[in-house]
């Protein structure tokens, strides 16, 4: 009788330990997946935010150019000064962030060409104005055309990231649901 009780206690303790170990392992895996999923969501948000910052900086540079062209007052150029460095820095960050997405990489290459050309148009018109020249409507329309192209590429990239973000958020939500249950 005593032997049977000891055996049952050992068996119960052994099963309890196995269940505890399996439960702990499942909880660990679930929490790890939750953290990874959360990091991916943050990554997508970072890309979307950086793309928005590129657009904002380019718009600030464009606004500075317009103010300078209209008034000839160099105080309007403050937002323009350093905008190309800021855009290039943001661009480098985005390049690192999307290195695993070939579709976004191709769009980013196209965006880089457009950004460089748009910035060169801004610089050219500011240089013409600083030398006392007048800016042609054609030059302004060309700048608008390239700005529209930049907007389109950025919108496509943001839409791609928004789709990825939705998928990652769904995954995160499912891990968020299952993790407390396992714990």
């Amino acid at each position: 009788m005593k032997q049977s009780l000891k055996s049952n206690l050992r068996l119960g303790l052994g099963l309890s330990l196995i269940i505890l170990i399996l439960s702990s392992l499942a909880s660990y895996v679930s929490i790890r997946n939750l953290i990874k999923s959360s990091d991916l969501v943050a990554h997508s948000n970072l890309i979307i935010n950086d793309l928005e910052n590129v657009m904002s900086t380019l718009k600030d540079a464009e606004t500075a150019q317009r103010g300078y062209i209209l008034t000839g007052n160099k105080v309007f150029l403050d937002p323009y000064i350093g905008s190309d460095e800021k855009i290039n820095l943001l661009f480098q960050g985005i390049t690192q962030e999307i290195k695993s997405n070939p579709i976004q990489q191709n769009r980013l290459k196209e965006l880089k060409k457009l950004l460089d050309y748009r910035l060169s148009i801004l610089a050219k018109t500011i240089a013409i104005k600083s030398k006392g020249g007048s800016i042609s409507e054609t030059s302004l329309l060309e700048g608008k055309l390239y700005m529209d192209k930049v907007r389109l590429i950025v919108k496509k990239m943001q839409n791609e990231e928004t789709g990825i973000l939705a998928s990652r958020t769904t995954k995160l939500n499912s891990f968020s649901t299952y993790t407390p249950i396992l714990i």
Side-chain angles (χ1 to χ4, degrees):
M1 179 86 173
K2 280 188 172 183
Q3 200 63 8
S4 174
L5 181 61
K6 278 186 174 182
S7 298
N8 287 341
L9 284 175
R10 284 185 188 147
L11 182 63
L13 180 62
L15 284 174
S16 295
L17 283 174
I18 289 172
I19 290 171
L20 180 62
I21 289 169
L22 290 176
S23 172
S24 296
L25 183 62
S27 295
Y28 171 77
V29 168
S30 182
I31 289 170
R32 205 162 160 220
N33 286 335
L34 181 64
I35 291 169
K36 183 179 177 186
S37 185
S38 177
D39 289 344
L40 289 173
V41 166
H43 177 79
S44 288
N45 280 323
L46 179 65
I47 293 169
I48 291 168
N49 189 43
D50 283 352
L51 286 167
E52 190 58 44
N53 285 337
V54 166
M55 282 303 303
S56 179
T57 303
L58 190 58
K59 286 177 192 177
D60 288 348
E62 192 175 58
T63 301
Q65 173 225 26
R66 279 194 210 115
Y68 179 64
I69 288 172
L70 288 172
T71 66
N73 188 342
K74 290 191 183 241
V75 75
F76 285 97
L77 290 178
D78 287 346
Y80 170 77
I81 297 168
S83 60
D84 53 345
E85 289 93 11
K86 186 176 178 184
I87 287 172
N88 284 329
L89 188 62
L90 287 165
F91 186 83
Q92 288 172 0
I94 295 168
T95 300
Q96 290 301 312
E97 293 158 7
I98 64 160
K99 60 185 171 190
S100 63
N101 187 332
I103 293 170
Q104 291 288 66
Q105 286 176 349
N106 289 334
R107 287 181 180 145
L108 196 62
K109 287 176 188 173
E110 186 178 348
L111 178 62
K112 178 67 172 152
K113 290 176 191 172
L114 293 171
L115 286 171
D116 287 346
Y117 198 73
R118 180 63 185 122
L119 289 168
S120 73
I121 292 171
L122 290 172
K124 182 175 77 174
T125 56
I126 289 170
I128 290 170
K129 181 66 177 180
S130 67
K131 292 176 184 171
S134 63
I135 311 302
S136 69
E137 183 180 346
T138 305
S139 183
L140 294 175
L141 287 172
E142 182 183 25
K144 180 192 178 321
L145 174 72
Y146 278 90
M147 189 65 173
D148 290 343
K149 288 179 180 181
V150 166
R151 280 188 179 99
L152 182 64
I153 294 293
V154 167
K155 192 63 167 167
K156 284 180 183 178
M157 292 181 77
Q158 286 178 325
N159 287 343
E160 173 83 12
E161 286 304 317
T162 301
I164 292 169
L165 178 62
S167 169
R168 289 175 175 173
T169 301
T170 301
K171 199 180 255 188
L172 175 65
N173 290 339
S174 72
F175 286 131
S176 296
T177 302
Y178 295 124
T179 300
I181 294 168
L182 284 173
I183 291 172

